[in-house]
Each structure stands twice: as C-alpha cells, then as structure tokens.
Amino acid sequence: MKKFIVFLVTVSLLLLVSGCANPQKEINITGNVKTVGSNISVNGTSTLEVGSEIKIELIKINSETVIEENTVKVDENGNYGLNFSREDREEDQKLAVSFYPNEQPEDIKEVYGTYGENISDSSDGLFTFNKDGEEHTGVRMFDFIFKVGDGAAGQRTFLLNHFDNPNDTKKGED
C-alpha cells in the first residue's frame, strides 16, 4: 500500500510540473506607423520574449501580394522598429505586423509552442493559419497605408487587430 501511495504522489507531482511547464502566454503587439513620401516607419512594443521575431509585410490590397517583407527582433524592453522605403506610392496598401511561432528560434518556440499552442486566447490579433497541412496560431496586427497624392503630407496611425480598408463602403446602407 505504501508503494501505491508513493506512486500516486509521484504521478501527481509529474502531472503538476508538466502542466506548469508551458503556461498560456498573452501576447500584445502595439505600434505606430508614420509615412512621409516613400518612407514608412513602424515602431512599437510587445510582450514577446527578447529575441522574438516579428515579420512586417507591405501587401497589395486586392491581390494579397507581398510587396515588401522584413523581419525584426524584439529587444530587451519589448520594443521593435523598422524604417523602409516603398516603390509604389500611387496605390493604397496593407501593412501586416505578425508573430509566427513556427518561424521563431528554438528558445522562443519553447515559450510559445511550435504551433502557437501556448499563446493565450485573450491575445489581441490572434489568428490561425495552415502551414504544411497543420494548423498554427499566431498574432497579427494591421494598418492601412494611404497612397501618396498631390499635396499629401503622409500619415500617423496605429496598428489594429483587424484590417480596415476605408475604401470599402457598403452602398445602399445608411
């Protein structure tokens, strides 16, 4: 009987330790976007671990074609930033700032899970995607990048957890 009790205590402790090994982590990614002419500046903060990689993509709205793609690392204060130049200033574009757990260094995958299984459901911008036939979870934030027209000085906006295209209007509704 004593061996049985020791066995139960051991199994209980193992289950407790393994359950605490990878708690759900809430991820928050915020950012400010500034454009002047062809230049785009994205600066923000996150709750991601130091060394986590954030992908910043400039995307054609109608075709979802990626025009520009860069990866930045989160610093020790949770900050990230990127300045880049865009070729096509004559059309509106979408900016996506994403955290893909499957593309992270091994030490970051240990925290968030290879498939994002350790990312909390309360994370703002949470989305699922398929990679090689397997479902993954990540975090993505967006901004609308306005075309540069006559007299346009640029924009100062911030990231949202959804893509809001101001050119999409529902006709016939009040």
Side-chain angles (χ1 to χ4, degrees), residues 54-165:
I54 294 177
K55 187 177 285 187
I56 300 175
E57 298 170 298
L58 191 61
I59 303 167
K60 285 188 174 201
I61 293 174
N62 295 332
S63 67
E64 292 295 315
T65 302
V66 175
I67 303 167
E68 177 87 23
E69 179 181 305
N70 295 284
T71 301
V72 296
K73 289 193 179 207
V74 174
D75 71 15
E76 62 277 355
N77 297 315
N79 298 320
Y80 68 93
L82 178 69
N83 295 312
F84 64 99
S85 184
R86 63 178 168 162
E87 296 288 323
D88 187 0
R89 303 176 346 163
E90 286 75 40
E91 67 178 50
D92 297 327
Q93 296 157 340
K94 177 179 7 180
L95 182 78
V97 176
S98 310
F99 174 72
Y100 293 100
N102 59 307
E103 297 179 2
Q104 300 300 311
E106 289 304 316
D107 60 326
I108 304 300
K109 285 181 184 177
E110 287 178 21
V111 174
Y112 300 105
T114 300
Y115 301 97
E117 63 270 21
N118 298 333
I119 299 174
S120 171
D121 290 342
S122 62
S123 299
D124 201 20
L126 193 71
F127 77 107
T128 58
F129 61 98
N130 284 309
K131 178 76 176 173
D132 299 327
E134 297 179 310
E135 188 171 284
H136 296 259
T137 300
V139 174
R140 181 182 288 158
M141 304 297 283
F142 298 98
D143 196 11
F144 184 86
I145 304 298
F146 293 95
K147 66 182 173 183
V148 177
D150 293 333
Q155 73 185 69
R156 285 181 184 260
T157 52
F158 54 91
L159 298 174
L160 299 172
N161 64 3
H162 62 281
F163 181 66
D164 186 18
N165 185 344

